[in-house]
Amino acid sequence: MRLFSLISVLLLLVTIIPKGNTGVIPGQKQCLNLKGLCKDGGCTTTEDTIGICNHEKKCCRKWWIFEPYATPVPKGKSN
């Protein structure tokens, strides 16, 4: 009887506690890997849009002339 009540309380707590969001959104992670910044609205005239962080933000990076580094090729999904 004691084990049954312990399991039911544990099950109740698991359903009540909200699921935590850990880590970074994939679009933001890719933007950080490309040395970019997620910005609301859009990029400035000295920046290029190199991706999308989420439905509101774009991934911006200064032109390569100002900070020379190559843009890595994104990995495709394997079939």
Side-chain angles (χ1 to χ4, degrees):
M1 185 67 174
R2 182 179 271 184
L3 181 64
F4 178 72
S5 62
L6 181 65
I7 291 174
S8 57
V9 168
L10 182 64
L11 193 65
L12 178 68
L13 289 175
V14 168
T15 57
I16 291 174
I17 296 173
K19 186 176 180 181
N21 293 331
T22 59
V24 180
I25 299 171
Q28 290 177 346
K29 185 176 181 180
Q30 182 179 11
C31 187
L32 293 175
N33 287 340
L34 295 174
K35 297 186 169 109
L37 295 172
C38 294
K39 292 187 175 183
D40 289 328
C43 304
T44 63
T45 56
T46 60
E47 295 174 331
D48 284 331
T49 303
I50 58 173
I52 298 173
C53 296
N54 59 24
H55 65 280
E56 297 171 351
K57 296 182 179 183
K58 292 186 178 181
C59 182
C60 302
R61 185 176 69 181
K62 294 213 181 279
W63 289 347
W64 63 272
I65 298 169
F66 300 122
E67 295 178 24
Y69 44 82
T71 301
V73 176
K75 295 179 181 178
K77 293 182 181 178
S78 59
N79 291 329

